[in-house]
Amino acid sequence: MSLVSKAAVLDGIEGQFHIREYEVPEPKQGEFILRTEYAGVCGTDVHMYYGHLNTVEYPIVMGHEFCGKIEKLGSVDIVDSNGQQVKEGDRVVIVPGVSCGECYYCKIAKTPTRCSHVQAYGFLPNREPHLLSGGFSQYVHIKYENTSFFKTELEPHIAVLTEPLSICVHGFQRAGGVRFGSTVLVQGTGAIGLGAIAFAKRSGAAKVIAVGGPKRRLELAKQLGADVVIDIDDVKDPQERIKLVKSETKGGRGPDMVVECAGFPGAVPEGLSYLRDSAEYIELGHFTDVGGVEINPHWHILRNNANIRGVWGSDVEHMEMTLSIIEQLELPYDQLVTHKLPLNRIGDAIQAMSKKGYSLDGKEEVIKIAIDPWQALANQ
Ligand SMILES: [Zn+2]
Ligand SMILES: [Zn+2]
């Protein structure tokens, strides 16, 4: 008997999510069917909902941060990207971006995130040949050639964090890593910012400063390694925050590295103003286009000798590194997913993360929402 999959289909920009059912195809040679356990709702999904990513076509089944168990293999000889044989029932994490391995970016520049023919689970229009290609669905058809994935023993509510946290790893790698004994400041305390805090501390930073909010996120920031937290609700004036940040660094010079994970344009000139001379600024919060901001090149960049690193998404190696770190379970990553919701509450998740100030149902503070496509649909 063939399987049927419920999926949440977004019909357009600021549209509706419809729960539709699709027949699950038989996987061909080299393919498999994944039974989704969790799919994270990402800031990027929020921006895709509002139409801030110009490559997206609707209708779409989003969900690029997902993990699950292999339901059905198309052939017996399938290995994960670490070369481990997989079998039905194994838990795996899928790398959403699939690069071609052949184009200029893949072969010569070796920046596969910019692949000319990139395909990505959770970003493709929901029509043939891309049906069941996003994580907001009970089953995902893992079928694109060169798809990378990793087998893991992690609990699914932690495994689902691999993709968002891999963005931080990519950022640190572009800046040449965290220097031992340095001061790292992270702007933004969403899931990616919290990951950057944890990884900065684990990489040898002596002091980690977090600028963000609200309160619950800052509490978790401390548990994950932040030595100082600055609540933007308490210190509303950016100039005041710049002074405060400087005062937290040796000689008042400013942090050695600032990682922008807030995704608000105004965070960029503010973050550049925190920096000490010749320090690193890692920009990874603006995956989508939320508008511009005025920068003063003299003060923000030249006078500081600022090293600015742009970071677009992440690649297979970053996912592998991230999974290896979180599999050690040294830090409370399990607290990042605060809510698990059914498919028909994705719209509520998006509202919580955009218009409702990270509160769900008028009260609870959200850090990361994971969709469990097997949870009974909510009455609406
Ligand atoms: Zn994401
Ligand atoms: Zn390519």
Side-chain angles (χ1 to χ4, degrees), residues 50-266:
Y50 288 108
H52 297 154
L53 194 62
N54 64 357
T55 52
V56 170
E57 288 177 54
Y58 306 83
I60 184 169
V61 175
M62 301 192 296
H64 55 276
E65 305 174 354
F66 60 104
C67 65
K69 288 189 170 174
I70 295 176
E71 176 77 18
K72 199 181 262 189
L73 287 172
S75 42
V76 290
D77 55 346
I78 295 178
V79 293
D80 80 352
S81 302
N82 275 323
Q84 304 178 92
Q85 187 88 34
V86 293
K87 57 181 188 323
E88 288 170 3
D90 282 349
R91 177 168 296 130
V92 294
V93 172
I94 309 293
V95 179
V98 183
S99 49
C100 73
E102 297 297 331
C103 70
Y104 169 83
Y105 290 105
C106 286
K107 268 202 152 146
I108 314 275
K110 303 219 182 325
T111 53
T113 54
R114 298 309 316 271
C115 171
S116 306
H117 312 106
V118 72
Q119 309 208 67
Y121 297 94
F123 290 92
L124 296 163
N126 187 54
R127 46 181 180 260
E128 290 289 0
H130 302 306
L131 288 174
L132 297 184
S133 67
F136 296 155
S137 174
Q138 289 176 323
Y139 293 98
V140 183
H141 187 184
I142 304 301
K143 65 174 173 181
Y144 303 114
E145 213 183 323
N146 299 331
T147 297
S148 300
F149 65 97
F150 297 99
K151 183 170 151 175
T152 184
E153 305 287 326
L154 275 176
E155 292 291 310
H157 67 287
I158 301 175
V160 71
L161 297 164
T162 312
E163 195 275 343
L165 300 186
S166 72
I167 312 291
C168 324
V169 169
H170 184 196
F172 287 128
Q173 195 193 37
R174 284 207 170 259
V178 172
R179 192 174 67 81
F180 290 120
S182 61
T183 298
V184 175
L185 184 140
V186 177
Q187 297 180 276
T189 46
I192 294 179
L194 290 165
I197 290 164
F199 294 171
K201 196 67 179 185
R202 274 190 111 269
S203 306
K207 187 169 190 178
V208 177
I209 305 171
V211 178
K215 296 269 181 286
R216 183 174 182 182
R217 291 177 173 217
L218 296 177
E219 276 310 309
L220 190 50
K222 284 187 205 157
Q223 290 179 45
L224 289 167
D227 302 283
V228 176
V229 297
I230 297 172
D231 188 336
I232 55 170
D233 280 335
D234 293 346
V235 190
K236 289 204 165 67
D237 176 12
Q239 294 307 321
E240 281 301 309
R241 291 199 288 263
I242 294 167
K243 269 194 225 148
L244 195 56
V245 164
K246 295 267 187 195
S247 75
E248 288 290 347
T249 62
K250 281 200 179 145
R253 288 184 290 268
D256 304 287
M257 181 182 271
V258 172
V259 192
E260 195 283 295
C261 309
F264 295 104

